[in-house]
PDB file of all heavy atoms in Angstrom:
ATOM      1  N   HIS A  64     -21.618  42.186 -45.765  1.00  0.00           N
ATOM      2  CA  HIS A  64     -21.472  43.164 -46.862  1.00  0.00           C
ATOM      3  C   HIS A  64     -20.255  44.060 -46.630  1.00  0.00           C
ATOM      4  O   HIS A  64     -20.342  45.096 -45.966  1.00  0.00           O
ATOM      5  CB  HIS A  64     -22.746  44.019 -46.953  1.00  0.00           C
ATOM      6  CG  HIS A  64     -22.856  44.813 -48.213  1.00  0.00           C
ATOM      7  ND1 HIS A  64     -24.057  45.135 -48.786  1.00  0.00           N
ATOM      8  CD2 HIS A  64     -21.918  45.371 -49.013  1.00  0.00           C
ATOM      9  CE1 HIS A  64     -23.853  45.847 -49.891  1.00  0.00           C
ATOM     10  NE2 HIS A  64     -22.557  46.008 -50.037  1.00  0.00           N
ATOM     11  N   LYS A 151     -23.103  38.059 -56.418  1.00  0.00           N
ATOM     12  CA  LYS A 151     -23.505  39.454 -56.213  1.00  0.00           C
ATOM     13  C   LYS A 151     -23.845  40.097 -57.547  1.00  0.00           C
ATOM     14  O   LYS A 151     -23.061  40.034 -58.483  1.00  0.00           O
ATOM     15  CB  LYS A 151     -22.372  40.240 -55.531  1.00  0.00           C
ATOM     16  CG  LYS A 151     -22.597  41.765 -55.443  1.00  0.00           C
ATOM     17  CD  LYS A 151     -23.601  42.144 -54.366  1.00  0.00           C
ATOM     18  CE  LYS A 151     -23.927  43.622 -54.314  1.00  0.00           C
ATOM     19  NZ  LYS A 151     -23.017  44.437 -53.530  1.00  0.00           N
ATOM     20  N   PHE A 153     -24.987  43.690 -59.478  1.00  0.00           N
ATOM     21  CA  PHE A 153     -25.178  45.146 -59.428  1.00  0.00           C
ATOM     22  C   PHE A 153     -26.087  45.515 -60.601  1.00  0.00           C
ATOM     23  O   PHE A 153     -25.714  45.292 -61.752  1.00  0.00           O
ATOM     24  CB  PHE A 153     -23.840  45.875 -59.590  1.00  0.00           C
ATOM     25  CG  PHE A 153     -22.902  45.724 -58.423  1.00  0.00           C
ATOM     26  CD1 PHE A 153     -21.980  44.671 -58.371  1.00  0.00           C
ATOM     27  CD2 PHE A 153     -22.909  46.636 -57.368  1.00  0.00           C
ATOM     28  CE1 PHE A 153     -21.105  44.534 -57.310  1.00  0.00           C
ATOM     29  CE2 PHE A 153     -22.037  46.495 -56.294  1.00  0.00           C
ATOM     30  CZ  PHE A 153     -21.126  45.453 -56.262  1.00  0.00           C
ATOM     31  N   HIS A 186     -27.639  44.567 -55.408  1.00  0.00           N
ATOM     32  CA  HIS A 186     -27.694  46.029 -55.274  1.00  0.00           C
ATOM     33  C   HIS A 186     -28.726  46.459 -56.304  1.00  0.00           C
ATOM     34  O   HIS A 186     -28.490  46.380 -57.505  1.00  0.00           O
ATOM     35  CB  HIS A 186     -26.300  46.619 -55.566  1.00  0.00           C
ATOM     36  CG  HIS A 186     -26.243  48.095 -55.420  1.00  0.00           C
ATOM     37  ND1 HIS A 186     -25.240  48.729 -54.730  1.00  0.00           N
ATOM     38  CD2 HIS A 186     -27.061  49.088 -55.876  1.00  0.00           C
ATOM     39  CE1 HIS A 186     -25.444  50.048 -54.757  1.00  0.00           C
ATOM     40  NE2 HIS A 186     -26.537  50.275 -55.465  1.00  0.00           N
ATOM     41  N   HIS A 239     -28.502  46.364 -48.571  1.00  0.00           N
ATOM     42  CA  HIS A 239     -28.744  47.736 -48.121  1.00  0.00           C
ATOM     43  C   HIS A 239     -30.068  48.333 -48.576  1.00  0.00           C
ATOM     44  O   HIS A 239     -30.106  49.323 -49.307  1.00  0.00           O
ATOM     45  CB  HIS A 239     -27.580  48.670 -48.475  1.00  0.00           C
ATOM     46  CG  HIS A 239     -26.965  48.494 -49.839  1.00  0.00           C
ATOM     47  ND1 HIS A 239     -27.708  48.331 -50.971  1.00  0.00           N
ATOM     48  CD2 HIS A 239     -25.669  48.478 -50.235  1.00  0.00           C
ATOM     49  CE1 HIS A 239     -26.903  48.222 -52.010  1.00  0.00           C
ATOM     50  NE2 HIS A 239     -25.660  48.298 -51.588  1.00  0.00           N
ATOM     51  N   ASP A 311     -21.735  47.473 -45.172  1.00  0.00           N
ATOM     52  CA  ASP A 311     -21.358  48.036 -46.479  1.00  0.00           C
ATOM     53  C   ASP A 311     -20.066  48.850 -46.331  1.00  0.00           C
ATOM     54  O   ASP A 311     -19.962  49.974 -46.831  1.00  0.00           O
ATOM     55  CB  ASP A 311     -22.478  48.883 -47.097  1.00  0.00           C
ATOM     56  CG  ASP A 311     -22.220  49.189 -48.580  1.00  0.00           C
ATOM     57  OD1 ASP A 311     -21.239  48.665 -49.149  1.00  0.00           O
ATOM     58  OD2 ASP A 311     -23.004  49.961 -49.162  1.00  0.00           O
TER      59      ASP A 311
HETATM   60 ZN1   ZN B 502     -23.908  48.008 -52.840  1.00  0.00          ZN
END
Side-chain angles (χ1 to χ4, degrees):
H64 194 149
K151 172 76 184 275
F153 291 90
H186 181 133
H239 41 44
D311 193 6

